[in-house]
Amino acid sequence: MKKVLLIILSLILFSVRPAEARKSMALVSVSVTDMKKLPDYQSETVSQAMMGTPVEVTGKESYWYSIVTPEGYSGWTTEQNIVLLTEEAMEQWRQAERLIVRDYFALVTMAPADGAEVLSDCVMGNILVKDNTPEKNGFTPVMLPDGRKGYVPSESVASLSKWMEAAAEPSGEDIVATARQFLGFPYLWGGLSSKGMDCSGLVKLSYFLNGIILLRDASQQIDTGEALDFSDVRNNLHPGDLVFFGRSATDTRGRSVSHVGISMGNGMMIHSSLRVRINSLLPERPDSYVSKKIVGACRILGHQDKEPGIVTVLEHPWYF
């Protein structure tokens, strides 16, 4: 009898794996969820993920899940903000007709009418599934990641696949035009949505809304794409290029990257610093930002799907 119990106990122990060893897929189910450094509300927010973003779940502590975003960034969020999916359900989502929110903000309501009860808020870049019922009164039927069904103003959404196909080869001017839509929006540490964004969050969001997934942090983005000579920012940096600030490497310490902006061409850039704003990269101008030291610059466009850190949404297996 003792031997039988030992065998049973051994089978149980070997069948149970640590939480971090079990991996599954999920979708973010709220307009924007904070990603925490640790599974604690008081922990630092390291990033955000938006509704409809597919994430990999790598662990669980109490009601907190550790998640990995499509570009490989890790953090913790609560169980209320994601929906776990089976492989079959994930594949159904990939094959479904999906919509992307193109307005700054939109509401999903229970009925196709202004003033109807709200199911959820949405922000630009959120992804919804189109429901197979007719459009009514200028509202499109949709399904949220958690399965709830409602209506969103038709003018606030567009077909995800058509949106991404149209954005397959964006120009630098397209990237700048997207970033300009957020002028005056507040700086938010760890933010990357229209509710607030940090410097690399503005870069990431501007590229994502043009169909390209970049790495999350400025310290990561600087090592992607084509390195540029930043000694002549007026002539060498084109619209859409990224310019980085921080501390140069020395014999005793490494390079430190603390800020990133998007070149607008002609020595100007748009960036999130206190708020999303435009500054000059030229020292002689009164709106110059060169009190901060430039430590690098890179060109992203032309390098899509040629390296892991620059991947189009259409080619990312978590989306399509």
Side-chain angles (χ1 to χ4, degrees), residues 215-261:
L215 298 179
R216 175 62 181 90
D217 291 339
S219 59
Q220 299 171 312
Q221 294 166 355
I222 193 173
D223 292 320
T224 60
E226 174 190 354
L228 300 174
D229 176 5
F230 53 89
S231 61
D232 183 356
V233 294
R234 187 191 293 274
N235 293 309
N236 293 345
L237 300 190
H238 299 167
D241 292 342
L242 305 185
V243 55
F244 301 89
F245 302 82
R247 186 187 66 209
S248 299
T250 67
D251 293 338
T252 58
R253 65 187 183 189
R255 178 189 66 195
S256 175
V257 179
S258 58
H259 190 61
V260 60

Side-chain angles (χ1 to χ4, degrees), residues 73-89:
Y73 210 79
S74 300
W76 291 85
T77 192
T78 59
E79 61 187 3
Q80 297 96 331
N81 293 343
I82 60 172
V83 176
L84 300 176
L85 297 180
T86 63
E87 290 183 12
E88 180 182 6

Side-chain angles (χ1 to χ4, degrees), residues 107-218:
L107 295 177
V108 179
T109 54
M110 293 187 66
D114 293 329
E117 185 174 345
V118 175
L119 283 178
S120 177
D121 71 309
C122 292
V123 298
M124 189 181 291
N126 281 182
I127 297 173
L128 308 168
V129 171
K130 188 177 185 300
D131 193 28
N132 294 322
T133 54
E135 181 179 324
K136 296 180 181 179
N137 306 326
F139 287 79
T140 296
V142 295
M143 183 170 66
L144 299 174
D146 59 12
R148 291 179 296 161
K149 294 184 178 182
Y151 296 85
V152 66
S154 299
E155 62 184 13
S156 295
V157 292
S159 165
L160 176 66
S161 58
K162 290 181 180 178
W163 173 285
M164 292 303 170
E165 287 171 3
E169 293 292 339
S171 66
E173 288 76 10
D174 291 331
I175 304 298
V176 171
T178 300
R180 288 184 70 102
Q181 292 183 77
F182 302 109
L183 280 170
F185 278 52
Y187 179 92
L188 177 65
W189 177 266
L192 49 70
S193 79
S194 55
K195 294 185 177 183
M197 60 206 77
D198 60 19
C199 62
S200 56
L202 173 65
V203 169
K204 183 169 171 53
L205 181 60
S206 299
Y207 270 87
F208 176 78
L209 292 173
N210 283 278
I212 299 173
I213 301 170
L214 297 186
L215 298 179
R216 175 62 181 90
D217 291 339

